[in-house]
Structure formats: structure tokens, C-alpha cells
Amino acid sequence: MPEPTFLDSTELVLNMGPQHPSTHGVLRVILKLDGEKVTGTECVIGYLHRGVEKIGENRTYAQFNPYVDRMDYVAAVSNGLGYCLAVEKLLNVEAPPRAQAVRVILTELNRVASHQLWLGTHALDIGAITPVFYCLRDREEALKIFEKYCGARLTTHAFRIGGLLYETYDGFEQDIRAFCDWMDPKLAEYEELLTNNRIWVGRLKGVGILNADECKEYGVTGPVLRAAGVKWDLRKAQPYSGYEKYEFDIPTRENGDTYDRYLVRMEEMRQSVRIMRQAVAAIPDGPIMGKVGKVIKPPVGEAYVSIEAPKGELGYYIVSDGATQPYRLRVRPPSFVNLQALDRMVAGGLIADVVAIIGTLDIVLGEVDR
Amino acid sequence: MKRLLRTIFLVDLFQGLWVTFRNQNPKYIYTEQYPAERPKVAERYRGAPRLNINPDNGETLCIACNLCALACPEALIVVTSERNEATKRKELTTFTYDTSRCMFCGLCEDACPVDALELTQDFEMATFTREGQIWDRQTLEEGPKPTQYKC
Amino acid sequence: MADEQKPGGSDTPPPSGKEAPAPPAKPAAAAHAAPPKPPATMAATPWDSDLSRQIKERFGEAIGETSTYLGQNFVVVKPDSAMSLLEYLKLEADFDYLVDVTAVDWPKRPERFDLVYILYSFSRNERVRVKTHIADGYKPGTAVGVHLAANWLEREVYDMFGIEFAGHPDMRRILLPEEWEGFPLRKDYSILKQDDRWVQENLGIPSGQ
């Protein structure tokens, strides 16, 4: 307990309200402060709740596909991949190898784009204004590829149930290779700006520590778990969509603080580029759509399928009663479960640390609230 | 000793500053001077919808099969038709498309069997009224006419 | 929100059949012409492994079935023993990660809700589902004592279904406003419905639609 000051102040409750540039969306954090030290936090969410799960019960499987992109709107392709894989699991079909390879390429491209946005906004919250310009500018190249492939930059609706709708456009492989070659020096540039910068290290090292046991208790997954030392990635543990064919490392660190999470995500971007290079070198020929009927009516049953989204484990639990519309469509959002750990991570920190920790958790309110 | 010198002389901060100065080179300017230079969107871009017309005889390609209306997740397309007794076929009368609720997912475009409904590269669809967002058949065939500004 | 509303704001009722469009329009007569069959059930096969045998041995009567469907194993347990099963799985079988807590509403059954816990074990690299059937009004025990991740997940189940968890440290709504009435993910809550009283009091408009 700090020494009582001559001001004899009581605990202050401050509202880091839903409108705040650093909360990555409409998140309300009620801070209990003792001076600048945070003694307790409480997250109030639900400002972006759109009832996606209820909508899922009233749309056919193919019609629900575009809604899925709008949850984690930063990395829309991953959401689509998870949903298509879940419905394909219920239908017991598998996408053909060519579709799987293109899906892997687009998903990894989307992971790089998502981490770039994370880096830019996280640096902006800390106070480094330059990286956000560079990250968003460089992210444009990835978004251009999405636009050329499926017609939209943000809400891509790239995949269909059973495979792909669009064949890759002419120049797809060249574009991806050019992106990979162009990305490596850019990553080095971001690192040059930030990694050894004393202000960056000073703000991030030792802040928001969440060790491996706490991560597992809170159900936290994704780069947060890997920075705590657990070498676990769903792409290696339970591979989907052909990930077992590609060689990549799982970056981990030991401390579990914010600086480690930054390093893990930078390394993940490099590994994503590595996967893209391998995948684009060996896209098999063949059909792009599996054997899925015109009307998608899975047999009665249920399935839970999860993928390694850029934010963590994104899971879809779909219960079907044999109709053309799902009976229950549950989305297990990584940001929602990760955000629970905010209270533990902030313990004893300052207000500035709260901002850094919300940034490092990489939450997207569209996913938290659905 | 080396570490001390690096710390005193702010080497790490200058390294970052050098990156910023390097990027001042005019070849790294990415700003598009909109509306003077409009972005070139991709061929497959899902923008404003358009009802295509057969170029030879000026008739609409739409066969009023209603597949686009059934495919739409938001149910915002309304297609009415009447039966032409002479050719015993359905003919399109009205086609209403509510762009204010449209999420430009492209499911209607995918569903159309004759490629009559297409999402074009137009993205400038702003209107001053809500009613202006609900497009009838004529607006769909002609496309949005955004104001062209002289720069 | 009004997915039944015709564009143009006309007041004519939406054409029937818009509720469940099947792309493309296949003749729907086939479904109606078939004679009434018993409702189809999930084609689950029994799950037989060391783990399922251990669970059956330990809990005996409380286990309804241990089955597998599409390669995913699940256990149906009586509601009173659900917490001890979760504890057993965490401490003895190493299922230390609670992936998800959710519920499914089957209004025609007397035991209306299906409470589903999805667990994962890092060391075994295996997932298992624990399902219980609970009736409306029953208060299952909270899993927060076993897995901290259940805190917000159970709050969301309460918010959406109205299932209260006994012993939860903070049992209140999480996504919807505190004063909202009604539980949206129940099947009797129509998709067009909103809590009009809350909307009028707080937003000042007659209805959210």
C-alpha cells in the first residue's frame, strides 16, 4: 500500500468510455484508480452487439457467409475460412487441393495484414505515430490482392462452402511472390523503428505479464499464449486446409509481457510470408469446388471446428437439424475470451499500461460483441 | 562502454529517425489526390449493381427468375414480372434494389443465371435522401451518375 | 434489422416463403409430399476409448452416453454431476483449457436447454464436449471454480438464454444492456423482436425496427 499523501485522496473511478481512440473499438473500461495506479478494471462490452448468432439461425448456410466477415472485420478471410470449414465438416466434404492451397495463401496474407494493422494501431496508442502510416500503407498491397481476387478489400467473402467461387486471377502468383519479396524489407523497417527503441522497450517491457498457467486458466490463445512460452498453434496441432504440407516455425518467448507479444507477432508475420512462398510455389491444378449440392442441407448433427485466426482460436459450433438453416450457430471469439484476462494483466499497472495492454491483446470489438 | 556511448548519443532513436527521413523520398508518396485521380479498382470489384441490357436489341437480359431475390441475405431485391401471352415467357416489369441495406456480398451476382445482374466498379453511390438509395429498374440499368467535379 | 421489410417502405406483407429461401428455387413439393417420418437424430456412434471408460467408471449412473460424431467425442452427463465431471477432466485427464460454454434451445423438449462445455487438453491434443440437458429455471453450478475462462462465457449464456449459474461471482448481462428484458437466443424470441420499452426509454424512438 502506498503511503497516504497529504492530499488524502480516495479511490477514483474513471470511465475509459466507449468512445476512445485507444480502445480499438467501442469498449468501455471502468478504471478504479489510486492516483495513476490502477487498482481494478471492469470491462463493459456489448456496444457493437449485432446478434450475429441469432441472424445465423435465420439465414441459409450460403447466405450467412457474408455476415461472418463482419465479426473480426480486420481479418475477414480467417472468419470465412473457419465458417466454411465448419460447414464442410458437417457436410463431410473436403475442399479440393487447389482450393485448399489458395485458401492457405489468402489466409496467411490476411494474417500479415491483420498483424500490420495491429502493429500500426498499437504503436499509435503507445505514442509512436510513424508506424501506423507505414503499416497501413504497406497493408494496401495486401488489400489490393484481395480486391483483385474477390472484389472487396475489407469484407472479402472470399471463400464458399466447399471450396472457392473465383478462380485465381491472371497474375495471382506473381502478385503474391512480389508481395512476399516486398514484405521482408518492410518488416525489417518496422523492427528498425521499434525493436531497439528505448522508449518502446521502456513502455512495453515488464508490462501486462500473463504467464503460461494463467493463460491456460483464462482460456487465452493466440500470440498471447505463445509469448508466455506455450509452443501451441492450431495450424500445427490440428492442421486444417493443408497446413501440414508447409514448413513453418511457431515463435515463442518466455516472459509473457507486452514486448514479447510484439516480438512474437513480428516473427509470425515472417512465418506467414514463408508459408505463402511455399504455398504459391506449389499450387496444384484441379477443380476449385468440392462436391456440394446447390442446396446445402447438412444431416442432423453438430460439429465444432476451430482455426488459428490472427487473434487466437476462432471456433464455430454449428448444430444442424437437417434444415437449410443452421439450428444454432455459435461463434467462439478469441477476442472475447482474451479480453477477460485484462483485469489480471493490468494488476498494479498505470493508466498508460492499460492502453498498452488493450493494444497488445489485439482485440476487435466486432468479434468480442458479435 | 559501447553500450554507454549508444545510450548517451541516442543511437537507437536516430536509427528510427533515419528510417523516417529515408521515407521522405517523393517516390514513397502514396497519397491519391481524390477526386482528381480516381482509384482504379479491380475488375472483380463488387460495387454498384447494374442490370445489363442486350446490346443488339436494347432489351433487358433479365428473365425475372427471382433467383437473385432468393439468394440475397437481406432480402432487399424485389422482382415483379408479367407473363407475356405471345411468347409464353415472363417479362420483367419492375426491379427494386435497396442499396442502403445492401452489403455488396455478391450473392445476387453469383446467382444470376444469365449475367443480367452484375456488381460493377462504381463505388460513388452517395445520395442526399434515403429514398434515393432505393434503385428502380431505370437507375439500375443506367447506373449511378455521380457529380463530376472539376479540379 | 427488418429483413422482412420490402424496400420502398410499402406496407404490404412480405410474400410468404421469404422466411426460408432455398437458393435456387427447387420444387419444394418434394418435402411436403413425403409421409411424416420420425424426426431424424444425430447419427452418433458410441465412443469407446480409455478416457470414456474411465469417465464411465468414475461417474457411472450420471453419464447418459459417450458418443462420437464426425470424429468429435462428446459425453452427456446429468446436470448435477456436470461440475464434478469438469473437475475430474481437468485434474485427472488433463483437460485444462475450457474452450467454450454455450447452450442450445430445444423448446419442444421438457429439458429445454442443452448446456455444452467444450474442453481441450494441450498434452493430449484432444477435444471433448460435455453436454447436459437442463430445464428452464434450473440453475446449474458455475464452472468458474474450475476454469476461470467460464466467467464471461457463462455471463453470455445467461444473457442470451436466461440460464443462471449458481455461485457465479458476477451474474449479470454482458452483451445486452442491464435492464433489457427477454433472452434473445431462445427460439420463442422472434428475430424481429426488440425490448421496445428499453428502446423507448433510452433511445427515445418508438421502436428499433
Side-chain angles (χ1 to χ4, degrees), chain B residues 96-126:
Chain B
T96 317
Y97 195 111
D98 186 358
T99 55
S100 68
R101 282 177 27 232
C102 177
M103 50 175 167
F104 303 100
C105 62
L107 281 174
C108 57
E109 176 187 41
D110 301 337
C112 182
V114 294
D115 285 338
L117 185 60
E118 196 187 314
L119 290 181
T120 59
Q121 277 103 317
D122 273 326
F123 51 87
E124 289 149 334
M125 305 186 305

PDB file of all heavy atoms in Angstrom, chain B residues 96-126:
ATOM      1  N   THR B  96     -36.620  -3.717 -58.038  1.00  0.00           N
ATOM      2  CA  THR B  96     -36.260  -2.747 -56.993  1.00  0.00           C
ATOM      3  C   THR B  96     -35.111  -3.299 -56.173  1.00  0.00           C
ATOM      4  O   THR B  96     -35.140  -4.449 -55.750  1.00  0.00           O
ATOM      5  CB  THR B  96     -37.453  -2.504 -56.066  1.00  0.00           C
ATOM      6  OG1 THR B  96     -38.613  -2.384 -56.866  1.00  0.00           O
ATOM      7  CG2 THR B  96     -37.254  -1.238 -55.279  1.00  0.00           C
ATOM      8  N   TYR B  97     -34.121  -2.451 -55.964  1.00  0.00           N
ATOM      9  CA  TYR B  97     -32.904  -2.870 -55.266  1.00  0.00           C
ATOM     10  C   TYR B  97     -32.598  -1.818 -54.217  1.00  0.00           C
ATOM     11  O   TYR B  97     -32.442  -0.654 -54.530  1.00  0.00           O
ATOM     12  CB  TYR B  97     -31.783  -2.946 -56.297  1.00  0.00           C
ATOM     13  CG  TYR B  97     -30.538  -3.678 -55.881  1.00  0.00           C
ATOM     14  CD1 TYR B  97     -30.204  -4.903 -56.460  1.00  0.00           C
ATOM     15  CD2 TYR B  97     -29.671  -3.142 -54.959  1.00  0.00           C
ATOM     16  CE1 TYR B  97     -29.047  -5.565 -56.118  1.00  0.00           C
ATOM     17  CE2 TYR B  97     -28.515  -3.802 -54.612  1.00  0.00           C
ATOM     18  CZ  TYR B  97     -28.202  -5.003 -55.186  1.00  0.00           C
ATOM     19  OH  TYR B  97     -27.057  -5.659 -54.855  1.00  0.00           O
ATOM     20  N   ASP B  98     -32.514  -2.223 -52.980  1.00  0.00           N
ATOM     21  CA  ASP B  98     -32.310  -1.270 -51.886  1.00  0.00           C
ATOM     22  C   ASP B  98     -30.831  -1.199 -51.549  1.00  0.00           C
ATOM     23  O   ASP B  98     -30.320  -2.018 -50.785  1.00  0.00           O
ATOM     24  CB  ASP B  98     -33.127  -1.746 -50.673  1.00  0.00           C
ATOM     25  CG  ASP B  98     -33.097  -0.754 -49.538  1.00  0.00           C
ATOM     26  OD1 ASP B  98     -32.425   0.282 -49.653  1.00  0.00           O
ATOM     27  OD2 ASP B  98     -33.759  -1.028 -48.525  1.00  0.00           O
ATOM     28  N   THR B  99     -30.118  -0.259 -52.100  1.00  0.00           N
ATOM     29  CA  THR B  99     -28.677  -0.229 -51.854  1.00  0.00           C
ATOM     30  C   THR B  99     -28.344   0.218 -50.442  1.00  0.00           C
ATOM     31  O   THR B  99     -27.212   0.052 -50.006  1.00  0.00           O
ATOM     32  CB  THR B  99     -27.960   0.713 -52.830  1.00  0.00           C
ATOM     33  OG1 THR B  99     -28.569   1.996 -52.753  1.00  0.00           O
ATOM     34  CG2 THR B  99     -28.018   0.203 -54.235  1.00  0.00           C
ATOM     35  N   SER B 100     -29.311   0.781 -49.697  1.00  0.00           N
ATOM     36  CA  SER B 100     -28.964   1.215 -48.342  1.00  0.00           C
ATOM     37  C   SER B 100     -28.765   0.023 -47.427  1.00  0.00           C
ATOM     38  O   SER B 100     -28.052   0.103 -46.448  1.00  0.00           O
ATOM     39  CB  SER B 100     -30.044   2.136 -47.782  1.00  0.00           C
ATOM     40  OG  SER B 100     -31.237   1.415 -47.569  1.00  0.00           O
ATOM     41  N   ARG B 101     -29.393  -1.113 -47.737  1.00  0.00           N
ATOM     42  CA  ARG B 101     -29.211  -2.287 -46.892  1.00  0.00           C
ATOM     43  C   ARG B 101     -28.268  -3.300 -47.512  1.00  0.00           C
ATOM     44  O   ARG B 101     -27.951  -4.302 -46.904  1.00  0.00           O
ATOM     45  CB  ARG B 101     -30.556  -2.932 -46.607  1.00  0.00           C
ATOM     46  CG  ARG B 101     -31.308  -2.150 -45.544  1.00  0.00           C
ATOM     47  CD  ARG B 101     -32.683  -2.685 -45.242  1.00  0.00           C
ATOM     48  NE  ARG B 101     -32.848  -4.079 -45.495  1.00  0.00           N
ATOM     49  CZ  ARG B 101     -33.824  -4.603 -46.224  1.00  0.00           C
ATOM     50  NH1 ARG B 101     -34.705  -3.815 -46.783  1.00  0.00           N
ATOM     51  NH2 ARG B 101     -33.919  -5.899 -46.400  1.00  0.00           N
ATOM     52  N   CYS B 102     -27.849  -3.012 -48.726  1.00  0.00           N
ATOM     53  CA  CYS B 102     -27.018  -3.983 -49.421  1.00  0.00           C
ATOM     54  C   CYS B 102     -25.650  -4.057 -48.778  1.00  0.00           C
ATOM     55  O   CYS B 102     -25.067  -3.020 -48.447  1.00  0.00           O
ATOM     56  CB  CYS B 102     -26.895  -3.558 -50.882  1.00  0.00           C
ATOM     57  SG  CYS B 102     -25.838  -4.614 -51.849  1.00  0.00           S
ATOM     58  N   MET B 103     -25.115  -5.258 -48.619  1.00  0.00           N
ATOM     59  CA  MET B 103     -23.763  -5.344 -48.096  1.00  0.00           C
ATOM     60  C   MET B 103     -22.762  -5.724 -49.170  1.00  0.00           C
ATOM     61  O   MET B 103     -21.627  -6.037 -48.871  1.00  0.00           O
ATOM     62  CB  MET B 103     -23.678  -6.306 -46.918  1.00  0.00           C
ATOM     63  CG  MET B 103     -24.268  -7.644 -47.119  1.00  0.00           C
ATOM     64  SD  MET B 103     -23.900  -8.598 -45.653  1.00  0.00           S
ATOM     65  CE  MET B 103     -24.963  -9.972 -45.893  1.00  0.00           C
ATOM     66  N   PHE B 104     -23.178  -5.699 -50.437  1.00  0.00           N
ATOM     67  CA  PHE B 104     -22.265  -5.911 -51.555  1.00  0.00           C
ATOM     68  C   PHE B 104     -21.508  -7.220 -51.405  1.00  0.00           C
ATOM     69  O   PHE B 104     -20.304  -7.290 -51.602  1.00  0.00           O
ATOM     70  CB  PHE B 104     -21.307  -4.716 -51.716  1.00  0.00           C
ATOM     71  CG  PHE B 104     -22.054  -3.428 -51.915  1.00  0.00           C
ATOM     72  CD1 PHE B 104     -22.257  -2.545 -50.877  1.00  0.00           C
ATOM     73  CD2 PHE B 104     -22.622  -3.140 -53.147  1.00  0.00           C
ATOM     74  CE1 PHE B 104     -22.988  -1.380 -51.055  1.00  0.00           C
ATOM     75  CE2 PHE B 104     -23.350  -1.978 -53.334  1.00  0.00           C
ATOM     76  CZ  PHE B 104     -23.535  -1.102 -52.283  1.00  0.00           C
ATOM     77  N   CYS B 105     -22.241  -8.259 -51.040  1.00  0.00           N
ATOM     78  CA  CYS B 105     -21.614  -9.559 -50.867  1.00  0.00           C
ATOM     79  C   CYS B 105     -21.455 -10.289 -52.180  1.00  0.00           C
ATOM     80  O   CYS B 105     -20.627 -11.163 -52.293  1.00  0.00           O
ATOM     81  CB  CYS B 105     -22.427 -10.419 -49.904  1.00  0.00           C
ATOM     82  SG  CYS B 105     -24.071 -10.778 -50.484  1.00  0.00           S
ATOM     83  N   GLY B 106     -22.285  -9.936 -53.172  1.00  0.00           N
ATOM     84  CA  GLY B 106     -22.152 -10.578 -54.473  1.00  0.00           C
ATOM     85  C   GLY B 106     -22.944 -11.847 -54.636  1.00  0.00           C
ATOM     86  O   GLY B 106     -22.826 -12.521 -55.651  1.00  0.00           O
ATOM     87  N   LEU B 107     -23.782 -12.209 -53.657  1.00  0.00           N
ATOM     88  CA  LEU B 107     -24.523 -13.468 -53.801  1.00  0.00           C
ATOM     89  C   LEU B 107     -25.559 -13.358 -54.915  1.00  0.00           C
ATOM     90  O   LEU B 107     -25.847 -14.337 -55.599  1.00  0.00           O
ATOM     91  CB  LEU B 107     -25.206 -13.834 -52.477  1.00  0.00           C
ATOM     92  CG  LEU B 107     -24.290 -14.462 -51.430  1.00  0.00           C
ATOM     93  CD1 LEU B 107     -25.023 -14.641 -50.121  1.00  0.00           C
ATOM     94  CD2 LEU B 107     -23.781 -15.807 -51.904  1.00  0.00           C
ATOM     95  N   CYS B 108     -26.111 -12.162 -55.112  1.00  0.00           N
ATOM     96  CA  CYS B 108     -27.095 -11.998 -56.183  1.00  0.00           C
ATOM     97  C   CYS B 108     -26.427 -12.127 -57.531  1.00  0.00           C
ATOM     98  O   CYS B 108     -26.952 -12.753 -58.460  1.00  0.00           O
ATOM     99  CB  CYS B 108     -27.791 -10.645 -56.058  1.00  0.00           C
ATOM    100  SG  CYS B 108     -26.679  -9.234 -56.073  1.00  0.00           S
ATOM    101  N   GLU B 109     -25.234 -11.557 -57.621  1.00  0.00           N
ATOM    102  CA  GLU B 109     -24.485 -11.629 -58.878  1.00  0.00           C
ATOM    103  C   GLU B 109     -24.124 -13.078 -59.183  1.00  0.00           C
ATOM    104  O   GLU B 109     -24.190 -13.529 -60.322  1.00  0.00           O
ATOM    105  CB  GLU B 109     -23.234 -10.774 -58.705  1.00  0.00           C
ATOM    106  CG  GLU B 109     -22.285 -10.779 -59.838  1.00  0.00           C
ATOM    107  CD  GLU B 109     -21.014 -10.025 -59.479  1.00  0.00           C
ATOM    108  OE1 GLU B 109     -20.517 -10.181 -58.340  1.00  0.00           O
ATOM    109  OE2 GLU B 109     -20.536  -9.300 -60.339  1.00  0.00           O
ATOM    110  N   ASP B 110     -23.748 -13.829 -58.124  1.00  0.00           N
ATOM    111  CA  ASP B 110     -23.398 -15.232 -58.346  1.00  0.00           C
ATOM    112  C   ASP B 110     -24.605 -16.043 -58.767  1.00  0.00           C
ATOM    113  O   ASP B 110     -24.495 -17.000 -59.524  1.00  0.00           O
ATOM    114  CB  ASP B 110     -22.828 -15.851 -57.059  1.00  0.00           C
ATOM    115  CG  ASP B 110     -21.588 -15.131 -56.575  1.00  0.00           C
ATOM    116  OD1 ASP B 110     -20.927 -14.474 -57.394  1.00  0.00           O
ATOM    117  OD2 ASP B 110     -21.293 -15.235 -55.378  1.00  0.00           O
ATOM    118  N   ALA B 111     -25.786 -15.656 -58.251  1.00  0.00           N
ATOM    119  CA  ALA B 111     -26.969 -16.484 -58.503  1.00  0.00           C
ATOM    120  C   ALA B 111     -27.558 -16.264 -59.889  1.00  0.00           C
ATOM    121  O   ALA B 111     -28.251 -17.129 -60.401  1.00  0.00           O
ATOM    122  CB  ALA B 111     -28.037 -16.190 -57.450  1.00  0.00           C
ATOM    123  N   CYS B 112     -27.299 -15.105 -60.484  1.00  0.00           N
ATOM    124  CA  CYS B 112     -27.987 -14.795 -61.742  1.00  0.00           C
ATOM    125  C   CYS B 112     -27.536 -15.738 -62.842  1.00  0.00           C
ATOM    126  O   CYS B 112     -26.350 -15.782 -63.166  1.00  0.00           O
ATOM    127  CB  CYS B 112     -27.687 -13.357 -62.148  1.00  0.00           C
ATOM    128  SG  CYS B 112     -28.537 -12.881 -63.654  1.00  0.00           S
ATOM    129  N   PRO B 113     -28.449 -16.471 -63.466  1.00  0.00           N
ATOM    130  CA  PRO B 113     -28.021 -17.463 -64.466  1.00  0.00           C
ATOM    131  C   PRO B 113     -27.682 -16.852 -65.821  1.00  0.00           C
ATOM    132  O   PRO B 113     -27.024 -17.491 -66.623  1.00  0.00           O
ATOM    133  CB  PRO B 113     -29.234 -18.392 -64.586  1.00  0.00           C
ATOM    134  CG  PRO B 113     -30.384 -17.570 -64.154  1.00  0.00           C
ATOM    135  CD  PRO B 113     -29.889 -16.548 -63.205  1.00  0.00           C
ATOM    136  N   VAL B 114     -28.118 -15.641 -66.075  1.00  0.00           N
ATOM    137  CA  VAL B 114     -27.891 -15.070 -67.405  1.00  0.00           C
ATOM    138  C   VAL B 114     -26.956 -13.870 -67.356  1.00  0.00           C
ATOM    139  O   VAL B 114     -26.823 -13.158 -68.335  1.00  0.00           O
ATOM    140  CB  VAL B 114     -29.227 -14.650 -68.056  1.00  0.00           C
ATOM    141  CG1 VAL B 114     -30.073 -15.856 -68.321  1.00  0.00           C
ATOM    142  CG2 VAL B 114     -29.954 -13.673 -67.174  1.00  0.00           C
ATOM    143  N   ASP B 115     -26.308 -13.637 -66.223  1.00  0.00           N
ATOM    144  CA  ASP B 115     -25.395 -12.499 -66.075  1.00  0.00           C
ATOM    145  C   ASP B 115     -26.076 -11.181 -66.344  1.00  0.00           C
ATOM    146  O   ASP B 115     -25.493 -10.264 -66.912  1.00  0.00           O
ATOM    147  CB  ASP B 115     -24.183 -12.623 -67.026  1.00  0.00           C
ATOM    148  CG  ASP B 115     -23.217 -13.659 -66.519  1.00  0.00           C
ATOM    149  OD1 ASP B 115     -23.249 -13.945 -65.308  1.00  0.00           O
ATOM    150  OD2 ASP B 115     -22.440 -14.180 -67.335  1.00  0.00           O
ATOM    151  N   ALA B 116     -27.329 -11.078 -65.942  1.00  0.00           N
ATOM    152  CA  ALA B 116     -28.011  -9.798 -66.123  1.00  0.00           C
ATOM    153  C   ALA B 116     -27.668  -8.861 -64.986  1.00  0.00           C
ATOM    154  O   ALA B 116     -27.398  -7.674 -65.189  1.00  0.00           O
ATOM    155  CB  ALA B 116     -29.524 -10.017 -66.171  1.00  0.00           C
ATOM    156  N   LEU B 117     -27.663  -9.380 -63.758  1.00  0.00           N
ATOM    157  CA  LEU B 117     -27.339  -8.551 -62.601  1.00  0.00           C
ATOM    158  C   LEU B 117     -25.855  -8.664 -62.341  1.00  0.00           C
ATOM    159  O   LEU B 117     -25.312  -9.752 -62.222  1.00  0.00           O
ATOM    160  CB  LEU B 117     -28.123  -9.023 -61.376  1.00  0.00           C
ATOM    161  CG  LEU B 117     -27.966  -8.173 -60.115  1.00  0.00           C
ATOM    162  CD1 LEU B 117     -28.436  -6.768 -60.383  1.00  0.00           C
ATOM    163  CD2 LEU B 117     -28.782  -8.777 -59.003  1.00  0.00           C
ATOM    164  N   GLU B 118     -25.227  -7.510 -62.287  1.00  0.00           N
ATOM    165  CA  GLU B 118     -23.781  -7.523 -62.147  1.00  0.00           C
ATOM    166  C   GLU B 118     -23.399  -6.415 -61.181  1.00  0.00           C
ATOM    167  O   GLU B 118     -24.019  -5.351 -61.167  1.00  0.00           O
ATOM    168  CB  GLU B 118     -23.185  -7.221 -63.519  1.00  0.00           C
ATOM    169  CG  GLU B 118     -21.741  -7.548 -63.674  1.00  0.00           C
ATOM    170  CD  GLU B 118     -21.232  -7.049 -65.011  1.00  0.00           C
ATOM    171  OE1 GLU B 118     -21.928  -7.272 -66.015  1.00  0.00           O
ATOM    172  OE2 GLU B 118     -20.175  -6.417 -65.026  1.00  0.00           O
ATOM    173  N   LEU B 119     -22.386  -6.664 -60.366  1.00  0.00           N
ATOM    174  CA  LEU B 119     -21.893  -5.610 -59.477  1.00  0.00           C
ATOM    175  C   LEU B 119     -20.699  -4.963 -60.164  1.00  0.00           C
ATOM    176  O   LEU B 119     -19.694  -5.613 -60.425  1.00  0.00           O
ATOM    177  CB  LEU B 119     -21.482  -6.205 -58.121  1.00  0.00           C
ATOM    178  CG  LEU B 119     -22.627  -6.694 -57.252  1.00  0.00           C
ATOM    179  CD1 LEU B 119     -22.095  -7.227 -55.951  1.00  0.00           C
ATOM    180  CD2 LEU B 119     -23.615  -5.599 -56.971  1.00  0.00           C
ATOM    181  N   THR B 120     -20.824  -3.715 -60.475  1.00  0.00           N
ATOM    182  CA  THR B 120     -19.825  -3.047 -61.303  1.00  0.00           C
ATOM    183  C   THR B 120     -18.747  -2.402 -60.446  1.00  0.00           C
ATOM    184  O   THR B 120     -18.714  -2.556 -59.245  1.00  0.00           O
ATOM    185  CB  THR B 120     -20.498  -1.959 -62.134  1.00  0.00           C
ATOM    186  OG1 THR B 120     -21.122  -1.049 -61.208  1.00  0.00           O
ATOM    187  CG2 THR B 120     -21.539  -2.538 -63.031  1.00  0.00           C
ATOM    188  N   GLN B 121     -17.886  -1.652 -61.128  1.00  0.00           N
ATOM    189  CA  GLN B 121     -16.804  -0.998 -60.406  1.00  0.00           C
ATOM    190  C   GLN B 121     -17.185   0.367 -59.864  1.00  0.00           C
ATOM    191  O   GLN B 121     -16.332   1.054 -59.322  1.00  0.00           O
ATOM    192  CB  GLN B 121     -15.584  -0.816 -61.321  1.00  0.00           C
ATOM    193  CG  GLN B 121     -14.728  -2.031 -61.413  1.00  0.00           C
ATOM    194  CD  GLN B 121     -14.962  -2.748 -62.705  1.00  0.00           C
ATOM    195  OE1 GLN B 121     -16.095  -2.885 -63.115  1.00  0.00           O
ATOM    196  NE2 GLN B 121     -13.904  -3.180 -63.338  1.00  0.00           N
ATOM    197  N   ASP B 122     -18.422   0.757 -60.002  1.00  0.00           N
ATOM    198  CA  ASP B 122     -18.835   2.062 -59.470  1.00  0.00           C
ATOM    199  C   ASP B 122     -18.912   2.001 -57.968  1.00  0.00           C
ATOM    200  O   ASP B 122     -19.550   1.127 -57.411  1.00  0.00           O
ATOM    201  CB  ASP B 122     -20.239   2.413 -59.977  1.00  0.00           C
ATOM    202  CG  ASP B 122     -20.180   3.115 -61.304  1.00  0.00           C
ATOM    203  OD1 ASP B 122     -19.216   3.861 -61.521  1.00  0.00           O
ATOM    204  OD2 ASP B 122     -21.092   2.905 -62.101  1.00  0.00           O
ATOM    205  N   PHE B 123     -18.292   2.963 -57.295  1.00  0.00           N
ATOM    206  CA  PHE B 123     -18.448   2.969 -55.841  1.00  0.00           C
ATOM    207  C   PHE B 123     -18.979   4.296 -55.346  1.00  0.00           C
ATOM    208  O   PHE B 123     -19.232   4.472 -54.179  1.00  0.00           O
ATOM    209  CB  PHE B 123     -17.119   2.664 -55.148  1.00  0.00           C
ATOM    210  CG  PHE B 123     -15.975   3.514 -55.627  1.00  0.00           C
ATOM    211  CD1 PHE B 123     -15.721   4.742 -55.072  1.00  0.00           C
ATOM    212  CD2 PHE B 123     -15.167   3.069 -56.654  1.00  0.00           C
ATOM    213  CE1 PHE B 123     -14.682   5.522 -55.535  1.00  0.00           C
ATOM    214  CE2 PHE B 123     -14.117   3.835 -57.113  1.00  0.00           C
ATOM    215  CZ  PHE B 123     -13.876   5.068 -56.550  1.00  0.00           C
ATOM    216  N   GLU B 124     -19.183   5.224 -56.259  1.00  0.00           N
ATOM    217  CA  GLU B 124     -19.664   6.536 -55.832  1.00  0.00           C
ATOM    218  C   GLU B 124     -21.184   6.534 -55.931  1.00  0.00           C
ATOM    219  O   GLU B 124     -21.753   6.836 -56.973  1.00  0.00           O
ATOM    220  CB  GLU B 124     -19.064   7.622 -56.715  1.00  0.00           C
ATOM    221  CG  GLU B 124     -17.589   7.801 -56.448  1.00  0.00           C
ATOM    222  CD  GLU B 124     -16.819   8.246 -57.664  1.00  0.00           C
ATOM    223  OE1 GLU B 124     -17.281   7.955 -58.779  1.00  0.00           O
ATOM    224  OE2 GLU B 124     -15.776   8.865 -57.503  1.00  0.00           O
ATOM    225  N   MET B 125     -21.824   6.148 -54.829  1.00  0.00           N
ATOM    226  CA  MET B 125     -23.261   5.985 -54.896  1.00  0.00           C
ATOM    227  C   MET B 125     -23.975   6.833 -53.874  1.00  0.00           C
ATOM    228  O   MET B 125     -25.074   6.519 -53.484  1.00  0.00           O
ATOM    229  CB  MET B 125     -23.629   4.527 -54.615  1.00  0.00           C
ATOM    230  CG  MET B 125     -22.933   3.573 -55.523  1.00  0.00           C
ATOM    231  SD  MET B 125     -23.512   1.922 -55.275  1.00  0.00           S
ATOM    232  CE  MET B 125     -23.238   1.719 -53.572  1.00  0.00           C
ATOM    233  N   ALA B 126     -23.367   7.879 -53.419  1.00  0.00           N
ATOM    234  CA  ALA B 126     -23.977   8.658 -52.348  1.00  0.00           C
ATOM    235  C   ALA B 126     -25.176   9.425 -52.868  1.00  0.00           C
ATOM    236  O   ALA B 126     -25.195   9.891 -53.999  1.00  0.00           O
ATOM    237  CB  ALA B 126     -22.952   9.627 -51.775  1.00  0.00           C
TER     238      ALA B 126
END
